[in-house]
Amino acid sequence: MSVAAVPRPAGWFADSYVQDMRVLATPGSRLRLVLLLVALAAYPLVASNAWTTFASATAVSVITVVGLQVLMGTCGQVSVGQSAFMGIGAYAAAYAATTQGWPLPLAIVFAAVSTTVIGVLFGLPAARIRGFYLALTTISLQFVFIFTMPRLPARLFGGTAGLTVPRPRFFGAAFRTPADFYALIVPIAVVMVALAVAINASQLGRQMVAVRENELAASVTGVRVTRTKIIAFGIAACYAGVAGALGAYLSGIAHFEQFTLFDSIFFLGYLVVGGVGSTSGAVLGTVALCLVREALNRLAPELGGVGADVLFPLINVVFGVLIIATLLRGPQGLAHLVERTSARVRRWPRA
Amino acid sequence: MTVLAQTLVDGLVTAAIFAAIGVAFNVVYRSGRVFNIAQGELLLLATFSSLVLLDTGLSPWLVFPIVLVLMSVVGLAVERFVLRRLIGRSEMSLFVSTLGVLLVLNGLVVAFLGGEPRLFPNVLGAGRLDIGGVRIDQAGLIGTLLVVAAVLAVAAFFSRTRTGLAMTAVAEDHQVARSLGINVSRSMAISWVIAGALSVVAVIAYMGGRTVAPDISAIALVALPVVLLAGVETVAGVLLAAAIVGVGQAVAARWLDPLTSGGASVLFPFVLMLVILVVRPQGLFGWKRVARL
């Protein structure tokens, strides 16, 4: 039985439902994926150290936002607490690595498990409510995190100074160059993104969509609404936890001030601008807006004193305008724009 | 006894700003189904534009009316350029759009009105009353009364006038409201102007004699538990909820903070919020909605 779609003069067509559901249905899409992976592998060889570190940091954000996409885009639950979950992951990994002296893979798994547990616990009350109220709980989580971390025992969690994370060792070799970190973070990001695509395409993903569209209708068709929402919370928290752990290793510190409400808002912005509907939107939005941010950050020193004072807050203005413009002009985001443009290119020169 | 009374008084003064901001939230929510997370930025804009104008030496009697006009213009602009185009969209879209408004306002204020911590002048006077050993700031007293008056006025507007009642219908459903002949975009515009005006009231009532910095916008988020305790649709109920949260916070600050290195009073509102969400999500006076297919 052929699994791939079938070529016809007018393009590739699926002749069974299984084929139609495949994520990589055509040879073209598979080729693009291979090219993308090759480009990602080759990137640190050509990029400078600063750009390699930038790519690693972006990959960390990509993991967080992709997790947020499952919760917000697929399951329809607003969350403004994603950076708090990331912070919990960062602290968990830092705690495991310093206080317990656990090796890197164990510390990351510990961060993932502990954030998932907290995410599920948090999802329990949150699952009963929606919209307005849900945004409230996630905001409160953000504040509870910021206010609690510096007041926990400094011996264990570093108090106001945060927890410094030692340079990770992997099979005895210490991480030294930005390329080492890139080699750790980007493959994990690729796997996490692939997993998110799988989740969205799975039965669970379709149940989440049902919950998003109409909770009552979903429950009538046999979807366990509360359970589905809690799982979505757990997934988003788990992604944030892994991202937080990797981010802590990358920056060498877990500090509560790295995980503010504004960061959560930025993650939400990345997702909205990219397109909430799909994983590719989450990735696209994060990469695009991280590039915009980096460009503005690099521009600032060129302008000197006053210019820089105005420019940094203007990053917020630019992001705010982008979010609003996306909502007004094309609520499906960059992902949809890219899709439409590439479809137009394919059809060229016919209409 | 004196300590208890003093704690109570301190709590009620804080409660005033929670009430003003909380009512602003509720007004925007019940007349447009918009969860306005940018409320703190409205407060920030009102604070720093007042500061800049007071710096020029203008009398406060002139400054605050000007700021009131400015805030109304901002509210109308948000409605005209953002919310009007999103009528009928999901609650999530409306919420995310106010996130965008938050970022824009925050960036503009910090960029052009100053991002440094500053002392806000004591516009309501620095006098003090002493009643049986309990100190009451003149400014705190006037401010609290001002807020109570403003909140009662807004509550009366919503329950006594035709426009106010019609605006309530918008919170139910944009389409239904429109089919009843209610102008949804006008309702939103009015609610944003009220929210802007309440921000100015909050500035007059609370900021005098305090150090203000861009992070004062977080006050609005601390006011969220108040909104939740009261219920998102009530207006007057916010007064009672604000008093509970304000006094509770003052009590926590007085007796629990020494034990928790200052953590209890800042955490109190948010822990309370999580408890309310589990026990009674619609709050004390909110509407209990029935889901229908």
Side-chain angles (χ1 to χ4, degrees):
Chain A
M1 191 192 94
S2 88
V3 210
V6 187
R8 300 253 189 275
W12 290 80
F13 289 93
D15 52 15
S16 77
Y17 185 54
V18 176
Q19 286 175 11
D20 199 38
M21 293 217 307
R22 284 175 69 92
V23 177
L24 297 167
T26 62
S29 63
R30 262 164 279 163
L31 179 69
R32 276 198 297 276
L33 179 68
V34 171
L35 285 179
L36 181 70
L37 290 179
V38 169
L40 280 176
Y43 179 82
L45 303 176
V46 288
S48 69
N49 278 348
W51 280 108
T52 306
T53 304
F54 165 76
S56 306
T58 307
V60 168
S61 298
V62 164
I63 296 175
T64 310
V65 178
V66 162
L68 183 63
Q69 189 276 328
V70 174
L71 177 62
M72 230 182 108
T74 309
C75 198
Q77 311 298 308
V78 187
S79 169
V80 207
Q82 191 71 351
S83 94
F85 281 119
M86 215 174 148
I88 293 167
Y91 269 96
Y95 170 79
T98 52
T99 320
Q100 300 294 330
W102 288 356
L104 171 88
L106 212 54
I108 293 176
V109 170
F110 176 68
V113 171
S114 46
T115 44
T116 309
V117 169
I118 292 175
V120 167
L121 283 179
F122 185 74
L124 287 176
R128 289 180 57 201
I129 52 187
R130 49 183 151 187
F132 185 89
Y133 294 109
L134 191 57
L136 291 181
T137 55
T138 51
I139 288 174
S140 75
L141 176 77
Q142 189 74 47
F143 278 87
V144 169
F145 170 77
I146 293 259
F147 290 137
T148 305
M149 282 334 280
R151 292 184 175 84
L152 290 178
R155 196 168 43 81
L156 298 178
F157 294 102
T160 47
L163 266 181
T164 40
V165 186
R167 275 170 181 264
R169 303 179 69 83
F170 200 57
F171 291 118
F175 280 55
R176 246 175 261 106
T177 62
D180 292 343
F181 283 99
Y182 183 92
L184 167 72
I185 294 170
V186 171
I188 294 181
V190 168
V191 172
M192 301 285 284
V193 168
L195 264 176
V197 172
I199 291 170
N200 283 340
S202 69
Q203 186 186 19
L204 178 65
R206 291 194 300 278
Q207 289 174 342
M208 287 180 188
V209 171
V211 169
R212 176 188 74 195
E213 292 301 326
N214 189 329
E215 283 182 22
L216 212 55
S219 72
V220 169
T221 52
V223 175
R224 286 193 270 177
V225 173
T226 311
R227 182 169 155 274
T228 308
K229 280 200 217 170
I230 291 173
I231 292 175
F233 258 100
I235 290 170
C238 177
Y239 270 75
V242 171
L246 294 173
Y249 275 115
L250 181 65
S251 64
I253 188 169
H255 193 276
F256 56 94
E257 280 177 1
Q258 293 169 317
F259 307 102
T260 62
L261 181 66
F262 266 85
D263 293 297
S264 284
I265 295 177
F266 276 150
F267 292 138
L268 234 153
Y270 294 165
L271 179 58
V272 168
V273 172
V276 287
S278 63
T279 308
S280 60
V283 177
L284 214 60
T286 310
V287 173
L289 289 192
C290 282
L291 278 172
V292 170
R293 206 172 172 177
E294 183 73 3
L296 289 170
N297 275 335
R298 279 167 187 249
L299 194 65
E302 314 272 322
L303 298 174
V306 181
D309 278 353
V310 175
L311 197 76
F312 280 116
L314 283 187
I315 294 179
N316 283 352
V317 179
V318 170
F319 276 30
V321 168
L322 281 176
I323 291 174
I324 294 171
T326 307
L327 283 174
L328 296 182
R329 296 279 157 187
Q332 288 150 309
L334 280 179
H336 185 63
L337 194 71
V338 167
E339 223 167 78
R340 249 181 15 200
T341 316
S342 72
R344 191 166 285 177
V345 169
R346 264 204 314 275
R347 283 199 307 265
W348 191 86
R350 287 152 296 189
Chain B
M1 192 61 218
T2 322
V3 178
L4 188 65
Q6 184 69 57
T7 311
L8 206 69
V9 168
D10 293 346
L12 287 176
V13 172
T14 330
I17 187 162
F18 289 163
I21 300 301
V23 168
F25 263 116
N26 279 7
V27 165
V28 169
Y29 187 75
R30 67 181 270 158
S31 24
R33 215 161 38 80
V34 181
F35 171 35
N36 174 23
I37 201 175
Q39 180 56 45
E41 265 54 32
L42 291 180
L43 180 70
L44 179 67
L45 177 65
T47 308
F48 274 83
S49 50
S50 307
L51 259 181
V52 168
L53 285 171
L54 287 168
D55 279 348
T56 62
L58 281 175
S59 143
W61 291 103
L62 211 61
V63 166
F64 291 114
I66 296 176
V67 176
L68 198 65
V69 172
L70 172 77
M71 296 307 296
S72 305
V73 171
V74 169
L76 290 175
V78 169
E79 192 279 322
R80 175 71 187 79
F81 295 111
V82 183
L83 295 174
R84 183 181 296 183
R85 296 152 189 235
L86 293 173
I87 289 176
R89 294 269 274 278
S90 70
E91 206 164 330
M92 194 201 277
S93 302
L94 294 167
F95 164 67
V96 173
S97 76
T98 67
L99 278 176
V101 173
L102 177 151
L103 289 176
V104 171
L105 287 181
N106 184 285
L108 290 177
V109 170
V110 175
F112 298 112
L113 298 176
E116 300 297 312
R118 293 197 39 197
L119 191 70
F120 199 92
N122 231 328
V123 281
L124 293 178
R128 239 177 214 179
L129 303 174
D130 198 312
I131 304 171
V134 180
R135 282 175 294 102
I136 303 176
D137 290 335
Q138 181 192 331
L141 185 65
I142 302 175
T144 308
L145 293 177
L146 196 64
V147 169
V148 172
V151 170
L152 291 179
V154 173
F157 170 71
F158 273 101
S159 58
R160 301 263 174 254
T161 68
R162 180 159 279 275
T163 319
L165 284 170
M167 284 168 68
T168 307
V170 180
E172 264 311 311
D173 191 311
H174 286 182
Q175 246 172 28
V176 171
R178 277 191 153 178
S179 66
L180 290 173
I182 296 163
N183 189 336
V184 172
S185 71
R186 196 178 68 129
S187 171
M188 285 190 187
I190 295 176
S191 68
W192 278 76
V193 169
I194 294 176
L198 283 167
S199 312
V200 182
V201 171
V203 170
I204 301 172
Y206 188 79
M207 293 303 169
R210 288 172 211 270
T211 307
V212 294
D215 62 6
I216 55 161
S217 55
I219 292 174
L221 301 174
V222 186
L224 285 177
V226 172
V227 172
L228 197 58
L229 181 59
V232 272
E233 292 92 0
T234 172
V235 172
V238 171
L239 281 179
L240 180 63
I244 293 173
V245 173
V247 171
Q249 196 175 27
V251 168
R254 179 73 184 75
W255 284 286
L256 291 177
D257 273 3
L259 309 174
T260 54
S261 53
S265 62
V266 280
L267 276 178
F268 168 75
F270 296 106
V271 174
L272 177 71
M273 180 143 93
L274 290 175
V275 172
I276 302 166
L277 282 170
V278 177
V279 180
R280 194 182 160 84
Q282 76 272 28
L284 295 174
F285 311 105
W287 302 335
K288 193 157 190 158
R289 282 161 197 258
V290 180
R292 289 195 189 85
L293 200 59

